[in-house]
């Protein structure tokens, strides 16, 4: 009788958590879509809803089609997809390493991707797919370097984070060096990209980002169960027949690929990978990695930050999305560090 009651309680709790996750994902997706539609009517060149909706489907005059289909829609989609990539990557890293500070931008994975892309552009005048490949190579090189330097009879989260912070500083220094060597025009263009911007992502680049992120999201589906088991410890994962090291490698490789792809297209948009999983876990509150919710929250956070950067900064100023996410993420990081310090002291 007791076992039946406990089983019934567990079933109700799981059902409640699934429902809560669905609500979070639905609200996040609705926020992304709502913000995207709202942007069509914002600014001096805004198109009112009665004209922007037909223009979305190719109906309207040239001005409406230009604003909706050529300017606002690609930028909004780029912000959402890049945010999904960073949010999911952050959730994979944090759940795999069981550390809320283990975000790709803090660990130097984003820095490695940026270094690869900046080297390709400034050093060799590369563009397009070559820059994407260079960013991927840089992210992978940074991940391998962190892995090798942090490995001591196994992978320990805190050592991985500390080594990653060192790699991030090293990548930042090398990027500054490369920019100092570039001429004024080239350096200015790349410097804007290193801040993180979705203003010029469209056409083939947007297609590459969408297809690549969709493929990596699908690859994440089979390992979602592994992430929940890993969060409970290696012994629990082994008891379920999972290889902890192999599962970690797969999760981190997908996370690296997501960061490399999003960074190559939109630049290293700061703090989304750190903040989005934290918000998602708090909203879902089921003790799991909240991978899907993190991806959706990442998309909504990046889209909202881009809208604020374009239309709602004081004094009529505009700023790339990376600056706005930095303004949100930096206080969160300080709060997280202070909270960790209080826990350690107590």
């Amino acid at each position: 009788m007791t076992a039946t009651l406990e089983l019934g309680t567990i079933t109700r709790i799981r059902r409640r958590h699934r429902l809560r996750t669905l609500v979070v994902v639905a609200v996040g997706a609705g926020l992304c879509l709502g913000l995207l539609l709202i942007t069509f009517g914002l600014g001096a060149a805004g198109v009112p809803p009665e004209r922007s909706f037909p223009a979305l489907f190719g109906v309207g005059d040239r001005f409406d089609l230009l604003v909706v289909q050529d300017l606002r829609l690609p930028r909004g989609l780029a912000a959402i997809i890049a945010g999904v990539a960073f949010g999911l990557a952050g959730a994979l890293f944090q759940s795999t390493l069981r550390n809320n500070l283990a975000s790709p931008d803090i660990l130097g994975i984003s820095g490695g991707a940026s270094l690869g892309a900046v080297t390709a552009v400034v050093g060799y005048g590369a563009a397009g797919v070559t820059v994407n490949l260079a960013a991927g190579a840089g992210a992978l090189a940074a991940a391998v370097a962190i892995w090798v330097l942090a490995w001591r009879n196994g992978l320990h989260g805190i050592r991985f984070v500390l080594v990653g912070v060192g790699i991030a500083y090293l990548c930042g220094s090398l990027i500054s060096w490369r920019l100092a060597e570039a001429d004024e025009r080239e350096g200015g263009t790349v410097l804007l990209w290193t801040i993180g911007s979705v203003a010029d992502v469209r056409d083939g680049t947007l297609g590459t980002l969408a297809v690549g992120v969709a493929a990596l999201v699908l690859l994440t589906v089979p390992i979602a169960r592994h992430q929940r088991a890993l969060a409970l410890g290696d012994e629990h994962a082994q008891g379920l027949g999972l290889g902890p090291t192999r599962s970690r490698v797969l999760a981190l490789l997908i996370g690296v690929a997501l960061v490399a792809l999003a960074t190559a297209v939109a630049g290293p948009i700061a703090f989304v990978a750190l903040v989005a999983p934290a918000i998602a876990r708090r909203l879902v509150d089921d003790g799991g990695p909240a991978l899907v919710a993190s991806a959706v929250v990442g998309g909504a956070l990046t889209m909202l930050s881009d809208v604020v950067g374009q239309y709602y900064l004081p004094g009529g100023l505009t700023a790339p999305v990376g600056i706005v996410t930095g303004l949100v993420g930096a206080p969160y990081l300080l709060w997280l560090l202070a909270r960790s310090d209080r826990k350690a002291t107590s």
Side-chain angles (χ1 to χ4, degrees):
M1 184 66 179
T2 303
T4 303
L5 287 174
E6 289 179 349
L7 183 60
T9 302
I10 292 172
T11 303
R12 283 195 298 276
I13 292 173
R14 285 179 175 174
R15 190 177 301 148
R16 190 165 65 241
H17 284 157
R18 287 196 198 99
L19 179 60
R20 187 162 176 160
T21 301
L22 284 174
V23 171
V24 170
V25 171
V27 171
L31 182 59
C32 290
L33 179 60
L35 288 169
L36 180 61
L37 296 177
I38 288 172
T39 58
F40 296 158
L42 296 177
V47 178
E50 64 272 16
R51 285 163 41 199
S52 62
F53 285 108
L56 185 61
F57 299 99
V59 179
D61 59 31
R62 292 183 60 184
F63 175 79
D64 293 351
L65 296 177
L66 174 68
V67 172
V68 173
Q69 292 198 346
D70 294 345
L71 299 178
R72 304 292 170 83
L73 183 61
R75 179 168 184 156
L77 290 177
I80 293 170
I81 298 171
V84 165
F86 283 118
L88 181 57
L92 286 170
F93 269 81
Q94 291 177 18
S95 60
T96 300
L97 300 171
R98 283 181 284 174
N99 191 316
N100 293 342
L101 285 172
S103 171
D105 41 0
I106 291 182
L107 294 181
I109 308 299
S110 298
S114 300
L115 178 60
V118 169
T119 301
V121 174
V122 174
Y124 302 97
V129 177
T130 305
V131 178
N132 296 347
L133 293 175
L140 186 60
V144 170
I146 298 169
W147 195 288
V148 170
L149 294 172
W151 185 271
R152 290 290 185 280
N153 298 319
L155 190 62
H156 303 280
I158 186 63
R159 187 182 294 131
F160 198 96
V161 172
L162 292 175
V163 173
V165 170
I167 294 294
Y169 275 108
L170 177 62
C171 290
S173 299
L174 291 175
I175 290 171
S176 299
W177 183 22
R178 300 300 297 178
L179 290 176
E181 289 183 323
D183 61 49
E184 185 175 346
R185 183 186 60 81
E186 196 174 44
T189 303
V190 177
L191 180 62
L192 179 62
W193 175 84
T194 60
I195 295 172
S197 172
V198 293
D200 297 321
V201 181
R202 53 176 57 91
D203 300 330
T205 308
L206 179 58
T208 301
L209 177 66
V211 172
V213 171
L216 291 167
V217 168
L218 290 178
L219 288 177
T220 309
V221 174
I223 67 170
R225 185 173 65 90
H226 302 193
Q227 294 305 105
R228 186 173 289 275
L230 285 173
L232 299 175
D234 288 2
E235 292 183 358
H236 185 83
Q238 288 171 339
L240 294 174
L242 303 176
T245 300
R246 184 183 59 196
S247 298
R248 286 195 176 96
V249 170
L250 285 173
L252 294 181
L253 280 177
I254 294 174
V256 167
L258 284 165
V259 171
L261 184 58
T263 303
V265 172
I269 301 175
F271 290 115
V272 175
L274 175 70
V275 176
I279 296 173
R281 285 194 300 270
R282 180 62 64 91
L283 293 174
V284 173
D285 194 27
D286 66 348
L291 297 181
V292 179
S294 298
V296 175
V297 171
L301 181 64
T302 308
M303 184 68 200
L304 179 61
S305 299
D306 192 45
V307 172
V308 172
Q310 288 185 77
Y311 305 107
Y312 295 110
L313 289 181
L317 298 173
T318 60
V321 62
I323 291 181
V324 180
T325 57
L327 292 173
V328 175
Y332 169 75
L333 178 60
L334 293 174
W335 173 81
L336 190 63
L337 291 171
R339 187 166 172 264
S340 302
D341 186 58
R342 281 200 299 270
K343 279 188 175 179
T345 303
S346 61

